[in-house]
Amino acid sequence: MTRSRLRELGITIGSMPTGKYNAITDVPGVLVGHTTLIYDEPRIARTGVTMIVPRDGSIWHDNAPAAFFALNGAGEMSGTHWINEVGVLSSPIGLTNTHQVGLVRDMLESYAHEKGYTASFLLPVATETYDGWLNDIYAAHVAKDHIYHAIDSATSGPVAEGNVGGGTGMICHEFKGGIGTSSRVIEVKSGRFTIGVLVQANYGDRKDLRIDGVPIGVELGYDHTPRARVEYHPEGSIIVIIATDAPLTTDQCKRLAQRATIGLGRVGGFGHTSSGDIFLAFATGNHIPDRSDSLIDLKMLPHLHMDRFFDGVVEATEEAIINALCMAETMVGFNKHKVYALPLNDVVQVMKKYNRL
């Protein structure tokens, strides 16, 4: 079977409707770009960078309320102290590998300076998961041009998933992982809104993997599909980025980011000690100028309407992770390490066994 997204297999997560593309780009103005690096000479590259660009690129000066939550902190996300202080996102969000998160952060700053997007200082958001099993991570493959390309090529519409961008060399539940995305349309009395999620999934044990509650990891054990790593290895990590066009305040973004934990738990993530599980939510329904000398008017969603957003982020996080697994392909990389893709034909058969199709 060719690689397919979860719904193309006849499997539906939750009950809420998705947006047109079932992707974070269903949120108006949110763009996604990738640079993918796969080559064997002079050193093995299985890595890349992914950029999430809010407000059609005007996020630099038209900031958005934002907040983050760390389920477990064995990971890095730059710019979070400033977000915690002022409650806004003021840059695109870069996702890459652990050893190059600093470069992505620095190049976001350089890009803004070269384009004239910042008048003083900038504390951009860059984040990571570790791809050193498939990628020669000390070769530092990602360079300035790759980062700029991911920003400049960011578009709306369908989002490439699996072995792309920052997710190129990632492993999830001991199958091939990577980038995944999903969205939900939220209907409340205060309006109709969209919530989108993008994940870089690189965590988890085989035995814990579940799809819509079905124990896929147990059913497809090591006798069925060999594990990625036989020797002891630290847990990987997951980054979850949540976007919505609703007029949320910073504290409401924080509440939204926290709920991604439930979606992760549904798939089988537990935030173990050496796992970096970091979630960031931003909302474009309010506009906060980077420089202003006058009062700024903000709207706020009624707190009682947040429950549907919590439902949506849980469903979309769960489905985004599984989409990453469904779209990722078997990969051979550094030191001839091989990581197998989730076998979709067998997933379908297991789901039939549990009457979930």
Side-chain angles (χ1 to χ4, degrees):
M1 176 181 285
T2 58
R3 307 312 291 174
S4 303
R5 304 186 82 196
L6 186 69
R7 289 176 184 249
E8 295 168 347
L9 301 176
I11 303 167
T12 300
I13 294 293
S15 59
M16 302 180 73
T18 71
K20 179 178 180 180
Y21 301 107
N22 191 17
I24 195 171
T25 50
D26 288 322
V27 178
V30 175
L31 315 177
V32 175
H34 302 294
T35 299
T36 302
L37 303 175
I38 300 177
Y39 50 82
D40 294 342
E41 298 293 340
R43 295 170 69 171
I44 303 293
R46 303 289 188 271
T47 194
V49 59
T50 294
M51 283 288 170
I52 299 171
V53 183
R55 297 205 196 279
D56 290 313
S58 65
I59 188 65
W60 310 95
H61 52 81
D62 185 3
N63 299 167
F68 78 98
F69 175 73
L71 175 62
N72 195 70
E76 183 61 75
M77 180 179 284
S78 69
T80 51
H81 290 292
W82 185 236
I83 289 175
N84 195 48
E85 184 70 25
V86 297
V88 299
L89 176 70
S90 56
S91 78
I93 301 164
L95 299 89
T96 191
N97 72 68
T98 302
H99 288 192
Q100 299 202 262
V101 66
L103 177 67
V104 172
R105 178 257 177 221
D106 291 349
M107 290 304 100
L108 277 166
E109 189 176 61
S110 295
Y111 185 94
H113 176 68
E114 291 175 17
K115 299 289 186 179
Y117 293 154
T118 180
S120 56
F121 75 97
L122 180 68
L123 295 170
V125 176
T127 189
E128 53 77 31
T129 57
Y130 181 79
D131 61 11
W133 186 254
L134 287 167
N135 175 50
D136 184 355
I137 196 168
Y138 282 95
H141 301 285
V142 177
K144 174 182 176 179
D145 289 348
H146 303 134
I147 298 163
Y148 280 31
H149 176 265
I151 302 172
D152 291 336
S153 64
T155 61
S156 59
V159 175
E161 296 170 288
N163 303 357
V164 295
T168 300
M170 304 306 169
I171 302 167
C172 186
H173 287 285
E174 300 182 83
F175 293 106
K176 186 65 188 67
I179 298 293
T181 189
S182 185
S183 70
R184 293 295 185 272
V185 176
I186 312 294
E187 298 270 5
V188 288
K189 289 183 178 180
S190 52
R192 185 177 189 270
F193 306 102
T194 301
I195 187 166
V197 170
L198 184 141
V199 303
Q200 184 165 291
N202 187 58
Y203 75 95
D205 292 329
R206 175 79 60 84
K207 63 180 175 56
D208 298 322
L209 174 61
R210 305 178 80 84
I211 296 179
D212 198 24
V214 173
I216 293 292
V218 173
E219 293 281 353
L220 305 180
Y222 301 131
D223 57 338
H224 180 282
T225 304
R227 68 195 307 174
R229 293 170 278 205
V230 177
E231 69 271 25
Y232 169 79
H233 65 279
E235 285 278 347
S237 303
I238 183 169
I239 301 300
V240 180
I241 307 298
I242 303 157
T244 181
D245 57 349
L248 304 189
T249 59
T250 297
D251 63 306
Q252 290 175 323
C253 288
K254 178 80 168 186
R255 299 177 72 201
L256 202 60
Q258 290 171 327
R259 267 57 179 196
T261 304
I262 302 171
L264 173 62
R266 284 185 174 183
V267 185
F270 299 102
H272 289 156
T273 298
S274 56
S275 182
D277 310 296
I278 308 175
F279 318 136
L280 184 147
F282 66 89
T284 60
N286 280 308
H287 296 266
I288 303 177
D290 187 46
R291 294 284 185 272
S292 178
D293 293 324
S294 59
L295 292 175
I296 300 170
D297 292 326
L298 300 178
K299 293 181 180 180
M300 174 179 154
L301 195 80
H303 283 311
L304 291 177
H305 293 185
M306 288 294 296
D307 285 349
R308 291 299 288 163
F309 285 81
F310 298 156
D311 295 344
V313 78
V314 169
E315 287 190 11
T317 300
E318 181 179 8
E319 186 165 345
I321 296 168
I322 300 168
N323 276 336
L325 284 160
C326 287
M327 292 300 290
E329 300 178 5
T330 297
M331 177 173 281
V332 178
F334 188 50
N335 288 334
K336 300 188 185 304
H337 294 151
K338 185 174 186 178
V339 182
Y340 289 92
L342 182 69
L344 299 185
N345 281 324
D346 297 313
V347 167
V348 169
Q349 293 307 311
V350 173
M351 298 301 284
K352 286 181 179 178
K353 172 182 173 182
Y354 284 80
N355 296 316
R356 292 301 180 90
L357 283 182

